[in-house]
Amino acid sequence: MSNLFIPDGYKPLLNEKETEHAIVLVKDFFQLSLSTELNLTRVTAPLFVKSGLGINDDLNGVERPVSFPVKDMNEQRLEIVHSLAKWKRLKVTDMKLAPGFGIYTDMNAIRADEELDNLHSLYVDQWDWELCINPLDRTVMYLKEVVQKIYTCLKQTEFYIYDNYEDITPVLPEHITFVYSDDLQREFPNATPKQREYEACKKYGAVFLIGIGGKLPDGSIHDGRAPDYDDWITESGDGHRGLNGDLLVWNPVLKNAMELSSMGIRVDADSLKAQLAEKGCPERAELSFHKRLLSGGLSQTLGGGIGQSRLCMYFLRKAHIGEIQVSTWPDDMISACSAKGVRLL
């Protein structure tokens, strides 16, 4: 409850029925735009994977996956995915996709350890996407090119919604601004990472923050990243580290920064070994996924996730993600939202 914020005088621009219709418009339009811009084919995705293979996304490395035994598989434990960060790379490899082509899918997850607030829910839905790339394209310039294409999709979707609901006026700036996390830390040395994101998004409107997971000049990290999917340790140029980042925008309803997507160029054998060592978990190299990567058995890819409910929440100017998706919330949060005119689905 301490992180819940509902603006005074908040009134939804769309009623519940209009919102349900608009969610379909946002999702249908955006995924078509995304698949066209990045040459992505839609695939079907798993809800759960086998435990102990290293396939599930470890997020920050401390979140507990929801798991269960399977009677007909000799009590083999399966776990609900946190995301498909590593599964997608296996899929791209097994499909033998050429560089410049990739996949996207509807990913549904349960994150039991999530701290619930306006943006965070136990239920996660996102477009997980993965693009096969040439190893020579493991550069920050190539990453920026892909980010700009995704930002074009966001701009197109924003206009499409405005064309259907004229009260929802466009606010995204013409261009996205690229900022390195270490530069932002130097600019605001006494601020927390969230405060830095606030300042950057308030100033620029839309930001891609490069270098998430690696150590900053003061020894801290901007945010946690598992060591075995995004590359956050490789030199990205100009003295910076990291080939990954977060896409953030200024939310005009909440008056705060809002993350819409996280993405990055995936680790190769060298960066995987270096990141496992830096995180103090070299034993992961013996897991099935990691052994295949280290032996050269995986395609080089770039990928990420784009929050579906968050995207709808942003474009439809909602104050709480529960106005977009059906989840479970603490009783006191439901009461507080109701008192402020926020109806959770």
Side-chain angles (χ1 to χ4, degrees), residues 282-310:
E283 70 281 357
R284 286 198 197 179
E286 297 303 314
L287 296 173
S288 174
F289 173 87
H290 303 68
K291 290 170 82 170
R292 186 171 175 184
L293 193 160
L294 291 169
S295 68
L298 293 179
S299 299
Q300 182 60 63
T301 61
L302 184 162
I306 302 169
Q308 295 188 14
S309 290
R310 284 201 185 186

PDB file of all heavy atoms in Angstrom, residues 282-310:
ATOM      1  N   PRO A 282      29.098 -19.317 -10.874  1.00  0.00           N
ATOM      2  CA  PRO A 282      29.690 -20.033 -12.016  1.00  0.00           C
ATOM      3  C   PRO A 282      29.134 -21.433 -12.201  1.00  0.00           C
ATOM      4  O   PRO A 282      29.237 -22.010 -13.285  1.00  0.00           O
ATOM      5  CB  PRO A 282      31.184 -20.068 -11.673  1.00  0.00           C
ATOM      6  CG  PRO A 282      31.233 -19.963 -10.179  1.00  0.00           C
ATOM      7  CD  PRO A 282      30.096 -19.048  -9.814  1.00  0.00           C
ATOM      8  N   GLU A 283      28.534 -22.006 -11.151  1.00  0.00           N
ATOM      9  CA  GLU A 283      27.987 -23.358 -11.245  1.00  0.00           C
ATOM     10  C   GLU A 283      26.843 -23.448 -12.256  1.00  0.00           C
ATOM     11  O   GLU A 283      26.518 -24.531 -12.755  1.00  0.00           O
ATOM     12  CB  GLU A 283      27.509 -23.831  -9.872  1.00  0.00           C
ATOM     13  CG  GLU A 283      26.274 -23.142  -9.306  1.00  0.00           C
ATOM     14  CD  GLU A 283      26.570 -21.778  -8.696  1.00  0.00           C
ATOM     15  OE1 GLU A 283      27.747 -21.372  -8.657  1.00  0.00           O
ATOM     16  OE2 GLU A 283      25.608 -21.126  -8.233  1.00  0.00           O
ATOM     17  N   ARG A 284      26.225 -22.322 -12.592  1.00  0.00           N
ATOM     18  CA  ARG A 284      25.141 -22.349 -13.577  1.00  0.00           C
ATOM     19  C   ARG A 284      25.626 -22.804 -14.954  1.00  0.00           C
ATOM     20  O   ARG A 284      24.829 -23.211 -15.793  1.00  0.00           O
ATOM     21  CB  ARG A 284      24.502 -20.957 -13.718  1.00  0.00           C
ATOM     22  CG  ARG A 284      23.622 -20.562 -12.567  1.00  0.00           C
ATOM     23  CD  ARG A 284      22.722 -19.422 -12.983  1.00  0.00           C
ATOM     24  NE  ARG A 284      22.152 -18.738 -11.836  1.00  0.00           N
ATOM     25  CZ  ARG A 284      21.343 -17.698 -11.929  1.00  0.00           C
ATOM     26  NH1 ARG A 284      21.035 -17.195 -13.112  1.00  0.00           N
ATOM     27  NH2 ARG A 284      20.860 -17.119 -10.838  1.00  0.00           N
ATOM     28  N   ALA A 285      26.914 -22.714 -15.185  1.00  0.00           N
ATOM     29  CA  ALA A 285      27.470 -23.143 -16.470  1.00  0.00           C
ATOM     30  C   ALA A 285      27.212 -24.620 -16.741  1.00  0.00           C
ATOM     31  O   ALA A 285      27.326 -25.074 -17.887  1.00  0.00           O
ATOM     32  CB  ALA A 285      28.971 -22.858 -16.515  1.00  0.00           C
ATOM     33  N   GLU A 286      26.851 -25.389 -15.703  1.00  0.00           N
ATOM     34  CA  GLU A 286      26.590 -26.812 -15.867  1.00  0.00           C
ATOM     35  C   GLU A 286      25.133 -27.112 -16.198  1.00  0.00           C
ATOM     36  O   GLU A 286      24.783 -28.275 -16.446  1.00  0.00           O
ATOM     37  CB  GLU A 286      26.992 -27.563 -14.588  1.00  0.00           C
ATOM     38  CG  GLU A 286      28.474 -27.471 -14.265  1.00  0.00           C
ATOM     39  CD  GLU A 286      29.336 -27.978 -15.419  1.00  0.00           C
ATOM     40  OE1 GLU A 286      29.014 -29.067 -15.956  1.00  0.00           O
ATOM     41  OE2 GLU A 286      30.308 -27.293 -15.792  1.00  0.00           O
ATOM     42  N   LEU A 287      24.271 -26.085 -16.202  1.00  0.00           N
ATOM     43  CA  LEU A 287      22.870 -26.298 -16.543  1.00  0.00           C
ATOM     44  C   LEU A 287      22.721 -26.514 -18.047  1.00  0.00           C
ATOM     45  O   LEU A 287      23.560 -26.092 -18.848  1.00  0.00           O
ATOM     46  CB  LEU A 287      22.030 -25.107 -16.097  1.00  0.00           C
ATOM     47  CG  LEU A 287      21.962 -24.860 -14.581  1.00  0.00           C
ATOM     48  CD1 LEU A 287      21.236 -23.562 -14.284  1.00  0.00           C
ATOM     49  CD2 LEU A 287      21.283 -26.039 -13.881  1.00  0.00           C
ATOM     50  N   SER A 288      21.629 -27.166 -18.435  1.00  0.00           N
ATOM     51  CA  SER A 288      21.427 -27.552 -19.827  1.00  0.00           C
ATOM     52  C   SER A 288      21.484 -26.372 -20.797  1.00  0.00           C
ATOM     53  O   SER A 288      22.193 -26.420 -21.812  1.00  0.00           O
ATOM     54  CB  SER A 288      20.067 -28.264 -19.961  1.00  0.00           C
ATOM     55  OG  SER A 288      19.777 -28.536 -21.305  1.00  0.00           O
ATOM     56  N   PHE A 289      20.759 -25.295 -20.488  1.00  0.00           N
ATOM     57  CA  PHE A 289      20.747 -24.130 -21.379  1.00  0.00           C
ATOM     58  C   PHE A 289      22.143 -23.543 -21.529  1.00  0.00           C
ATOM     59  O   PHE A 289      22.598 -23.231 -22.629  1.00  0.00           O
ATOM     60  CB  PHE A 289      19.779 -23.064 -20.836  1.00  0.00           C
ATOM     61  CG  PHE A 289      19.825 -21.758 -21.586  1.00  0.00           C
ATOM     62  CD1 PHE A 289      19.033 -21.565 -22.706  1.00  0.00           C
ATOM     63  CD2 PHE A 289      20.670 -20.721 -21.178  1.00  0.00           C
ATOM     64  CE1 PHE A 289      19.078 -20.367 -23.407  1.00  0.00           C
ATOM     65  CE2 PHE A 289      20.719 -19.524 -21.876  1.00  0.00           C
ATOM     66  CZ  PHE A 289      19.920 -19.351 -22.994  1.00  0.00           C
ATOM     67  N   HIS A 290      22.829 -23.409 -20.407  1.00  0.00           N
ATOM     68  CA  HIS A 290      24.133 -22.759 -20.399  1.00  0.00           C
ATOM     69  C   HIS A 290      25.191 -23.596 -21.119  1.00  0.00           C
ATOM     70  O   HIS A 290      26.057 -23.054 -21.818  1.00  0.00           O
ATOM     71  CB  HIS A 290      24.541 -22.480 -18.958  1.00  0.00           C
ATOM     72  CG  HIS A 290      23.537 -21.652 -18.205  1.00  0.00           C
ATOM     73  ND1 HIS A 290      22.304 -22.138 -17.872  1.00  0.00           N
ATOM     74  CD2 HIS A 290      23.591 -20.375 -17.742  1.00  0.00           C
ATOM     75  CE1 HIS A 290      21.625 -21.198 -17.232  1.00  0.00           C
ATOM     76  NE2 HIS A 290      22.379 -20.123 -17.143  1.00  0.00           N
ATOM     77  N   LYS A 291      25.126 -24.902 -20.970  1.00  0.00           N
ATOM     78  CA  LYS A 291      26.083 -25.777 -21.655  1.00  0.00           C
ATOM     79  C   LYS A 291      25.914 -25.681 -23.171  1.00  0.00           C
ATOM     80  O   LYS A 291      26.889 -25.663 -23.921  1.00  0.00           O
ATOM     81  CB  LYS A 291      25.900 -27.223 -21.172  1.00  0.00           C
ATOM     82  CG  LYS A 291      26.360 -27.444 -19.729  1.00  0.00           C
ATOM     83  CD  LYS A 291      25.950 -28.805 -19.209  1.00  0.00           C
ATOM     84  CE  LYS A 291      26.892 -29.894 -19.650  1.00  0.00           C
ATOM     85  NZ  LYS A 291      26.606 -31.164 -18.945  1.00  0.00           N
ATOM     86  N   ARG A 292      24.659 -25.593 -23.593  1.00  0.00           N
ATOM     87  CA  ARG A 292      24.409 -25.471 -25.030  1.00  0.00           C
ATOM     88  C   ARG A 292      24.939 -24.140 -25.567  1.00  0.00           C
ATOM     89  O   ARG A 292      25.522 -24.087 -26.654  1.00  0.00           O
ATOM     90  CB  ARG A 292      22.910 -25.603 -25.314  1.00  0.00           C
ATOM     91  CG  ARG A 292      22.575 -25.626 -26.799  1.00  0.00           C
ATOM     92  CD  ARG A 292      21.118 -25.967 -27.030  1.00  0.00           C
ATOM     93  NE  ARG A 292      20.779 -25.868 -28.451  1.00  0.00           N
ATOM     94  CZ  ARG A 292      19.571 -26.039 -28.950  1.00  0.00           C
ATOM     95  NH1 ARG A 292      18.557 -26.370 -28.136  1.00  0.00           N
ATOM     96  NH2 ARG A 292      19.345 -25.909 -30.250  1.00  0.00           N
ATOM     97  N   LEU A 293      24.753 -23.076 -24.793  1.00  0.00           N
ATOM     98  CA  LEU A 293      25.247 -21.765 -25.216  1.00  0.00           C
ATOM     99  C   LEU A 293      26.771 -21.755 -25.269  1.00  0.00           C
ATOM    100  O   LEU A 293      27.378 -21.304 -26.251  1.00  0.00           O
ATOM    101  CB  LEU A 293      24.735 -20.685 -24.258  1.00  0.00           C
ATOM    102  CG  LEU A 293      24.868 -19.223 -24.679  1.00  0.00           C
ATOM    103  CD1 LEU A 293      23.892 -18.366 -23.882  1.00  0.00           C
ATOM    104  CD2 LEU A 293      26.277 -18.668 -24.502  1.00  0.00           C
ATOM    105  N   LEU A 294      27.399 -22.267 -24.227  1.00  0.00           N
ATOM    106  CA  LEU A 294      28.866 -22.246 -24.150  1.00  0.00           C
ATOM    107  C   LEU A 294      29.519 -23.121 -25.209  1.00  0.00           C
ATOM    108  O   LEU A 294      30.664 -22.875 -25.604  1.00  0.00           O
ATOM    109  CB  LEU A 294      29.307 -22.690 -22.753  1.00  0.00           C
ATOM    110  CG  LEU A 294      28.982 -21.706 -21.618  1.00  0.00           C
ATOM    111  CD1 LEU A 294      29.223 -22.354 -20.260  1.00  0.00           C
ATOM    112  CD2 LEU A 294      29.807 -20.438 -21.762  1.00  0.00           C
ATOM    113  N   SER A 295      28.801 -24.123 -25.695  1.00  0.00           N
ATOM    114  CA  SER A 295      29.347 -25.000 -26.734  1.00  0.00           C
ATOM    115  C   SER A 295      29.124 -24.442 -28.142  1.00  0.00           C
ATOM    116  O   SER A 295      29.490 -25.086 -29.130  1.00  0.00           O
ATOM    117  CB  SER A 295      28.715 -26.387 -26.631  1.00  0.00           C
ATOM    118  OG  SER A 295      27.344 -26.343 -26.975  1.00  0.00           O
ATOM    119  N   GLY A 296      28.499 -23.243 -28.225  1.00  0.00           N
ATOM    120  CA  GLY A 296      28.247 -22.645 -29.527  1.00  0.00           C
ATOM    121  C   GLY A 296      26.982 -23.143 -30.194  1.00  0.00           C
ATOM    122  O   GLY A 296      26.801 -22.952 -31.405  1.00  0.00           O
ATOM    123  N   GLY A 297      26.082 -23.730 -29.411  1.00  0.00           N
ATOM    124  CA  GLY A 297      24.883 -24.332 -29.987  1.00  0.00           C
ATOM    125  C   GLY A 297      23.667 -23.443 -30.059  1.00  0.00           C
ATOM    126  O   GLY A 297      22.566 -23.939 -30.357  1.00  0.00           O
ATOM    127  N   LEU A 298      23.810 -22.138 -29.766  1.00  0.00           N
ATOM    128  CA  LEU A 298      22.669 -21.229 -29.818  1.00  0.00           C
ATOM    129  C   LEU A 298      22.937 -20.077 -30.774  1.00  0.00           C
ATOM    130  O   LEU A 298      24.056 -19.560 -30.847  1.00  0.00           O
ATOM    131  CB  LEU A 298      22.348 -20.677 -28.425  1.00  0.00           C
ATOM    132  CG  LEU A 298      21.838 -21.653 -27.377  1.00  0.00           C
ATOM    133  CD1 LEU A 298      21.589 -20.939 -26.063  1.00  0.00           C
ATOM    134  CD2 LEU A 298      20.571 -22.352 -27.852  1.00  0.00           C
ATOM    135  N   SER A 299      21.907 -19.652 -31.478  1.00  0.00           N
ATOM    136  CA  SER A 299      22.014 -18.484 -32.352  1.00  0.00           C
ATOM    137  C   SER A 299      22.269 -17.241 -31.516  1.00  0.00           C
ATOM    138  O   SER A 299      21.858 -17.159 -30.350  1.00  0.00           O
ATOM    139  CB  SER A 299      20.720 -18.297 -33.142  1.00  0.00           C
ATOM    140  OG  SER A 299      20.451 -19.404 -33.968  1.00  0.00           O
ATOM    141  N   GLN A 300      22.931 -16.259 -32.120  1.00  0.00           N
ATOM    142  CA  GLN A 300      23.072 -14.958 -31.469  1.00  0.00           C
ATOM    143  C   GLN A 300      21.777 -14.191 -31.679  1.00  0.00           C
ATOM    144  O   GLN A 300      21.275 -14.098 -32.806  1.00  0.00           O
ATOM    145  CB  GLN A 300      24.234 -14.163 -32.045  1.00  0.00           C
ATOM    146  CG  GLN A 300      24.449 -12.814 -31.373  1.00  0.00           C
ATOM    147  CD  GLN A 300      24.738 -12.941 -29.881  1.00  0.00           C
ATOM    148  OE1 GLN A 300      25.734 -13.518 -29.477  1.00  0.00           O
ATOM    149  NE2 GLN A 300      23.838 -12.413 -29.062  1.00  0.00           N
ATOM    150  N   THR A 301      21.226 -13.660 -30.601  1.00  0.00           N
ATOM    151  CA  THR A 301      19.929 -12.991 -30.693  1.00  0.00           C
ATOM    152  C   THR A 301      19.906 -11.697 -29.900  1.00  0.00           C
ATOM    153  O   THR A 301      20.784 -11.407 -29.084  1.00  0.00           O
ATOM    154  CB  THR A 301      18.792 -13.901 -30.172  1.00  0.00           C
ATOM    155  OG1 THR A 301      19.029 -14.219 -28.788  1.00  0.00           O
ATOM    156  CG2 THR A 301      18.687 -15.183 -30.972  1.00  0.00           C
ATOM    157  N   LEU A 302      18.863 -10.945 -30.167  1.00  0.00           N
ATOM    158  CA  LEU A 302      18.511  -9.738 -29.414  1.00  0.00           C
ATOM    159  C   LEU A 302      17.033  -9.873 -29.106  1.00  0.00           C
ATOM    160  O   LEU A 302      16.247 -10.254 -29.983  1.00  0.00           O
ATOM    161  CB  LEU A 302      18.781  -8.494 -30.263  1.00  0.00           C
ATOM    162  CG  LEU A 302      18.590  -7.090 -29.667  1.00  0.00           C
ATOM    163  CD1 LEU A 302      19.321  -6.063 -30.529  1.00  0.00           C
ATOM    164  CD2 LEU A 302      17.125  -6.690 -29.572  1.00  0.00           C
ATOM    165  N   GLY A 303      16.646  -9.592 -27.886  1.00  0.00           N
ATOM    166  CA  GLY A 303      15.229  -9.764 -27.561  1.00  0.00           C
ATOM    167  C   GLY A 303      14.815  -9.001 -26.331  1.00  0.00           C
ATOM    168  O   GLY A 303      15.618  -8.346 -25.667  1.00  0.00           O
ATOM    169  N   GLY A 304      13.523  -9.099 -26.045  1.00  0.00           N
ATOM    170  CA  GLY A 304      13.005  -8.401 -24.882  1.00  0.00           C
ATOM    171  C   GLY A 304      11.538  -8.689 -24.661  1.00  0.00           C
ATOM    172  O   GLY A 304      10.946  -9.556 -25.308  1.00  0.00           O
ATOM    173  N   GLY A 305      10.979  -7.945 -23.733  1.00  0.00           N
ATOM    174  CA  GLY A 305       9.562  -8.072 -23.425  1.00  0.00           C
ATOM    175  C   GLY A 305       8.909  -6.705 -23.387  1.00  0.00           C
ATOM    176  O   GLY A 305       9.530  -5.727 -22.962  1.00  0.00           O
ATOM    177  N   ILE A 306       7.674  -6.635 -23.835  1.00  0.00           N
ATOM    178  CA  ILE A 306       6.906  -5.388 -23.832  1.00  0.00           C
ATOM    179  C   ILE A 306       5.601  -5.661 -23.109  1.00  0.00           C
ATOM    180  O   ILE A 306       4.804  -6.508 -23.529  1.00  0.00           O
ATOM    181  CB  ILE A 306       6.634  -4.911 -25.271  1.00  0.00           C
ATOM    182  CG1 ILE A 306       7.949  -4.713 -26.031  1.00  0.00           C
ATOM    183  CG2 ILE A 306       5.825  -3.608 -25.258  1.00  0.00           C
ATOM    184  CD1 ILE A 306       7.766  -4.500 -27.517  1.00  0.00           C
ATOM    185  N   GLY A 307       5.386  -4.976 -21.995  1.00  0.00           N
ATOM    186  CA  GLY A 307       4.217  -5.235 -21.169  1.00  0.00           C
ATOM    187  C   GLY A 307       2.911  -4.898 -21.874  1.00  0.00           C
ATOM    188  O   GLY A 307       2.700  -3.755 -22.272  1.00  0.00           O
ATOM    189  N   GLN A 308       2.030  -5.888 -22.015  1.00  0.00           N
ATOM    190  CA  GLN A 308       0.759  -5.643 -22.693  1.00  0.00           C
ATOM    191  C   GLN A 308      -0.166  -4.774 -21.851  1.00  0.00           C
ATOM    192  O   GLN A 308      -0.712  -3.779 -22.336  1.00  0.00           O
ATOM    193  CB  GLN A 308       0.090  -6.974 -23.037  1.00  0.00           C
ATOM    194  CG  GLN A 308       0.856  -7.803 -24.051  1.00  0.00           C
ATOM    195  CD  GLN A 308       0.088  -9.022 -24.522  1.00  0.00           C
ATOM    196  OE1 GLN A 308      -1.124  -9.145 -24.306  1.00  0.00           O
ATOM    197  NE2 GLN A 308       0.774  -9.949 -25.152  1.00  0.00           N
ATOM    198  N   SER A 309      -0.358  -5.155 -20.601  1.00  0.00           N
ATOM    199  CA  SER A 309      -1.241  -4.364 -19.745  1.00  0.00           C
ATOM    200  C   SER A 309      -0.664  -2.974 -19.487  1.00  0.00           C
ATOM    201  O   SER A 309      -1.405  -1.986 -19.423  1.00  0.00           O
ATOM    202  CB  SER A 309      -1.477  -5.086 -18.417  1.00  0.00           C
ATOM    203  OG  SER A 309      -2.264  -6.238 -18.602  1.00  0.00           O
ATOM    204  N   ARG A 310       0.655  -2.897 -19.342  1.00  0.00           N
ATOM    205  CA  ARG A 310       1.273  -1.583 -19.134  1.00  0.00           C
ATOM    206  C   ARG A 310       1.081  -0.685 -20.351  1.00  0.00           C
ATOM    207  O   ARG A 310       0.826   0.514 -20.217  1.00  0.00           O
ATOM    208  CB  ARG A 310       2.765  -1.735 -18.826  1.00  0.00           C
ATOM    209  CG  ARG A 310       3.033  -2.193 -17.423  1.00  0.00           C
ATOM    210  CD  ARG A 310       4.436  -1.840 -17.016  1.00  0.00           C
ATOM    211  NE  ARG A 310       4.751  -2.381 -15.714  1.00  0.00           N
ATOM    212  CZ  ARG A 310       5.871  -2.124 -15.062  1.00  0.00           C
ATOM    213  NH1 ARG A 310       6.785  -1.334 -15.608  1.00  0.00           N
ATOM    214  NH2 ARG A 310       6.103  -2.645 -13.874  1.00  0.00           N
TER     215      ARG A 310
END
